[in-house]
Amino acid sequence: MNSATRIEQPESAAAAPDLTLDVERIRNDFPILKQTVHGKPLAYLDNAASAQKPQAVIDAISEAASTCYANIHRGVHRLSELSTSAHEAAREKARAFLNAASAKEIVFVRNATEGINLVASSFGGHVLHKDDEILITHMEHHSNIVPWQLLCEKTGARLVVAPVTDEGELDMLAFGDRITSRTRMIAVNHVSNALGTINPVKRIIGLAHAQAIPVLLDGAQAAPHMAIDVQDLDCDFYVFSGHKVFGPCVGVLYGKKDHLEAMPPYMGGGDMILSVSFEKTLFNDIPYKFEAGTPDILGAIGLGAALDYVQSIGLDRIAAREQDLLRYATETLSAIPGLKIVGTAAEKAAVVSFVIDGIHPHDIGTILDREGVAVRTGHHCTQPLMDRFNVPATARASMAFYNTHDEIGRLASAIQKTIRMFA
Amino acid sequence: MNELSELYQEVILDHTRAPRNFFEMGDATGSAAGHNPLCGDRVTVYLHLENGRVKNVSFQGSGCAISTASASLMTEAVKGKTLDEANRLFNAFHDMVTGQADPLLESGEPEFEKLAALAGVREFPMRVKCATLAWHTLKAALEDKSEPVSTE
């Protein structure tokens, strides 16, 4: 673990020294990274599935549970007041993280998946009719496919899919062609979880808004890696998952105020109402209208701490660091004979999906695990994309800022060992 | 032998590289398809039953080393067996890989001993389904189920 004990400086940062990152200090913030797995130091390269938690997040949850926990928005007692204010402070942190205009535009949900389902059901159910079209891409996660399919079944709308090139980039010409007079909704991932491709979302939104079509961005894979400004993007909806941003399992849905106000509630229950009688219920204002029932209060507080933590490092610094890791991983893995990287877009997040001639990804995953190297193997909830690339599955190494060149080296050695075993 | 080399022992790697009875059977009297959604493994098992015996058995599909080797070893083990014997093998294999019993190692019968090469999968709980996919599919083919089998 030599490289973990020194400061690694991204090559590109030579002219911008403020982008360096003290990796040793950062790694000390994450207790789990000190674990050994099967007697080997853990090399956690499965961050796209879920990211590890810094001590600051663990402490924030424990501190809130120990000192100020009660239900929110209800009691007049002291703890309820403290808990409500901590919960709403987390909402403000999410607002700042996305640079939304107002905290009213931030809805807490379970995860990005629930955010997409909320929009599909409430907004989609409101605006879509028979023969309308919803445009998505071939590289979507199942969570940005299935909710729209369910909506199509309910409304008679059609799902239209924009193709992906052999490099794993969105075919923008074909994408433009698929925007028709029937298109009523566009839903695209900001970053592909299986390939790492960063999509040209500003261009997509420009094309869509020229036709007055609303756009939802699935930011589950973007939020941990880059600064996001929903006002600059001008997206109509943005979703991300707290657990991928080093926090607990709480999701965030951003929606433009006008949309959220026009949308019917998603779920009914307590907290989302102003008054209830058996004749008529008046719904609460946004965002509470969409937050029926007691939410994950401690989770939201933990998410606030995670967003603070990420911003204390700086998303520019994180992005620079991860681009360096991506470059190193791409070089190192490309040099292994028989290994093929799936997804070679020019703009990528730190995700390297790969296949090896004659070795199933599942076997790769098992052997890597015994070397302490955690990667994801499988279809990554993107079966249509796997079919597109004619593979049943891939192995995927996904890096976070706390990963090191040394860990990527260990990944490469473990892959070499796998190839030797199967030779 | 460590757990990893016990899992990927030579007989497993051999059956993965060169699976036995790997063909689509033209004169099959029954077949079934199996799918492991977790890793995308797919297998189809073909049977030719005659007078209550497995006269011939084959498989096709794509999958990891464990699922391919398991399917290959299975076809060798059940060929020529009566339906009762094939079902007994299914149960014994299932108990072995899920760690509930070690009947194969104690049975002393040659085809059981070969199947015991897969006993190492017990130490890899996430991989047990890879080893059992072909067997579940065989059971479906024996019972002539038309619905695809899923390990989930």
Side-chain angles (χ1 to χ4, degrees), chain A residues 31-72:
Chain A
I32 206 167
L33 298 181
K34 298 182 182 80
Q35 297 260 333
T36 55
V37 172
H38 305 302
K40 311 268 171 66
L42 168 66
Y44 187 76
L45 299 173
D46 193 19
N47 295 284
S50 202
Q52 298 301 346
K53 319 303 171 200
Q55 192 65 48
V57 169
I58 299 165
D59 287 348
I61 296 169
S62 159
E63 170 80 9
S66 314
T67 61
C68 73
Y69 181 78
N71 210 332
I72 56 167

Side-chain angles (χ1 to χ4, degrees), chain B residues 23-100:
Chain B
F23 59 91
E24 186 181 337
M25 197 184 291
D27 60 347
T29 56
S31 70
H35 180 215
N36 180 348
L38 179 70
C39 46
D41 290 350
R42 287 181 187 280
V43 67
T44 304
V45 173
Y46 303 92
L47 282 174
H48 189 101
L49 300 179
E50 214 172 86
N51 303 324
R53 264 183 202 278
V54 180
K55 190 182 168 213
N56 202 3
V57 52
S58 70
F59 80 104
Q60 277 226 301
S62 69
C64 65
I66 303 305
S67 75
T68 305
S70 179
S72 175
L73 285 161
M74 176 189 82
T75 58
E76 288 195 322
V78 299
K79 198 182 279 191
K81 295 282 181 290
T82 66
L83 296 186
D84 274 356
E85 286 165 343
N87 272 318
R88 273 209 300 279
L89 272 175
F90 172 91
N91 291 330
F93 182 82
H94 189 270
D95 288 351
M96 175 184 76
V97 294
T98 53
Q100 294 171 47

Side-chain angles (χ1 to χ4, degrees), chain A residues 330-346:
Chain A
T330 305
E331 274 169 30
T332 310
L333 298 196
S334 308
I336 299 175
L339 185 148
K340 182 172 164 264
I341 292 176
V342 180
T344 51

